[in-house]
Amino acid sequence: MTIRRLMLGVAAAALLAPTAGAGAQESLDLGHVGDPGSLYEATAENFAECVAASGKATVDVYGSSQLGNDEEMLQKLKLGQIDFSLPSSVMSSVSPTFGVFEMPYLIKSRDHMKKVRDEMRDTFVDAAAGRGYQILGFWENGFRNVTNNVKPINVPGDLDGIKLRVPKGEWRVKMFQSYGANPTPMAFSEVFTALQTGVIDGQENPLAQIYSGRFQEVQKFLSMTGHVYSPAYLATSSRNWDGWDEELRTAIQDCATTSSDFAYERSQQMDDELISKIEEAGVTVNEADKDAFIAASKAIYEEFGSQVEGGQKLVEDIQALAAGS
């Protein structure tokens, strides 16, 4: 009799529990590789707060690669195992179109990037859609700089032989090979230990990732090369996107767009604050000769323009938006 009553109670509870159709909010997961204090964390939390305020869903944010590295999370998106991820350079391995953001010194400023976002959005959304992904927001990773334990990097020749971690993607590897470095693709979550143990000499990342990743604890030199501007993309899968109702899609898209401007403002603020904090940690900071790096980058532009379909026009279209930025 006791077992029968228990079963009846469970059944009644199931009947009374709210369902998605009865007004319950969707609970969505967002994964990223950023550590606590990173720009990724700040932007993702800003997005989550916006979505929650819409009343259409809640977003649970999982940083520090808790849901996997960038490649793993992209796969989980396609399988419907997570709802959002925040890829950056890895998108160049999803579609060659995104490789344009691997071109050195192409994006001149955040105002320039805003123009690219606003006027060329469809180019990148369509490229991702062709691979089963929906790009919702153009957020930021940032302007990248080199750290290492060998010497200050002033000109490309100073990189000769240095073992440098880079994200996965062929164009970053080719770029640093052309500068003379020994680039090693590696997941972000592995970088601190690799630096600490001397497996690699250095790495390159925006200041927000360098500081939140605590690389200042295991690096002697920070060289302000500003060699690449890396967007970050709030991404879901076409499978997820098509499964959400129109009201939820509208709320998500509106918040993704709003958080884009937040990302640019917050990143500028972090750039202004973090150089002195990294210096205070004992790291020697120098300004690199960017003109020397630009001059050494001609070959990578030529290769991209010839190898990627429409690559030359893509570069030219982005360069044309730099005026006045």
Side-chain angles (χ1 to χ4, degrees):
M1 182 66 70
T2 303
I3 294 175
R4 182 171 181 273
R5 285 177 180 167
L6 178 61
M7 292 175 67
L8 288 172
V10 171
L15 289 171
L16 292 172
T19 63
Q25 287 188 354
E26 289 254 20
S27 180
L28 307 173
D29 296 331
L30 191 167
H32 65 83
V33 301
D35 291 316
S38 66
L39 176 64
Y40 278 11
E41 179 189 61
T43 312
E45 293 293 349
N46 178 270
F47 171 73
E49 291 169 7
C50 179
V51 173
S54 76
K56 302 301 179 185
T58 58
V59 176
D60 297 316
V61 178
Y62 298 89
S64 301
S65 304
Q66 292 180 70
L67 302 185
N69 62 36
D70 281 325
E71 288 181 310
E72 291 166 343
M73 284 190 282
L74 284 173
Q75 183 62 25
K76 288 180 178 180
L77 285 180
K78 280 201 170 181
L79 295 173
Q81 295 175 346
I82 62 175
D83 300 292
F84 307 103
S85 73
L86 194 50
S88 182
S89 300
V90 71
M91 286 302 293
S92 65
S93 63
V94 172
S95 168
T97 300
F98 289 90
V100 75
F101 291 114
E102 301 298 298
M103 295 299 101
Y105 303 100
L106 178 62
I107 299 296
K108 304 301 182 184
S109 66
R110 290 184 176 89
D111 285 340
H112 183 199
M113 183 60 212
K114 287 179 183 178
K115 291 181 181 179
V116 174
R117 173 198 68 183
D118 295 342
E119 299 190 30
M120 298 182 65
R121 172 187 174 86
D122 289 350
T123 298
F124 301 101
V125 171
D126 291 349
R131 301 295 191 274
Y133 297 101
Q134 183 78 19
I135 297 297
L136 303 169
F138 291 77
W139 294 0
E140 179 166 318
N141 194 346
F143 288 96
R144 306 178 78 94
N145 302 286
V146 174
T147 68
N148 81 100
N149 282 325
V150 180
K151 60 184 174 181
I153 306 302
N154 292 298
V155 295
D158 292 331
L159 285 164
D160 189 43
I162 288 180
K163 293 179 290 184
L164 194 74
R165 177 269 175 181
V166 295
K168 294 183 180 179
E170 65 172 318
W171 295 105
R172 192 75 55 81
V173 170
K174 288 181 177 181
M175 182 181 77
F176 277 105
Q177 284 175 337
S178 73
Y179 294 158
N182 181 13
T184 303
M186 182 183 296
F188 183 80
S189 59
E190 301 171 8
V191 177
F192 181 89
T193 300
L195 291 170
Q196 188 177 45
T197 57
V199 171
I200 52 176
D201 300 315
Q203 61 82 52
E204 46 87 52
N205 256 301
L207 295 179
Q209 292 284 61
I210 290 170
Y211 189 77
S212 63
R214 300 172 28 239
F215 298 158
Q216 68 276 7
E217 298 177 12
V218 289
Q219 294 279 261
K220 296 177 182 178
F221 305 102
L222 165 62
S223 300
M224 300 298 292
T225 52
H227 52 274
V228 163
Y229 173 88
S230 293
Y233 313 92
L234 180 65
T236 189
S237 65
S238 301
R239 169 182 177 169
N240 287 338
W241 184 249
D242 292 341
W244 295 330
D245 65 42
E246 185 174 352
E247 287 189 356
L248 179 56
R249 285 199 300 262
T250 298
I252 288 171
Q253 184 58 75
D254 288 348
C255 288
T257 301
T258 299
S259 293
S260 177
D261 288 334
F262 170 87
Y264 297 145
E265 293 169 8
R266 179 65 179 134
S267 187
Q268 181 63 63
Q269 180 185 3
M270 294 178 84
D271 279 355
D272 293 340
E273 296 172 350
L274 291 178
I275 292 180
S276 60
K277 290 185 177 182
I278 292 170
E279 283 183 311
E280 288 168 5
V283 177
T284 299
V285 179
N286 72 284
E287 287 289 338
D289 183 348
K290 292 182 180 179
D291 288 338
F293 276 93
I294 291 171
S297 302
K298 183 179 179 182
I300 198 73
Y301 273 89
E302 291 175 348
E303 188 173 357
F304 181 81
S306 63
Q307 286 193 11
V308 175
E309 183 178 356
Q312 184 61 38
K313 184 178 186 303
L314 197 56
V315 167
E316 291 171 356
D317 288 346
I318 290 175
Q319 289 174 331
L321 293 174
S325 299

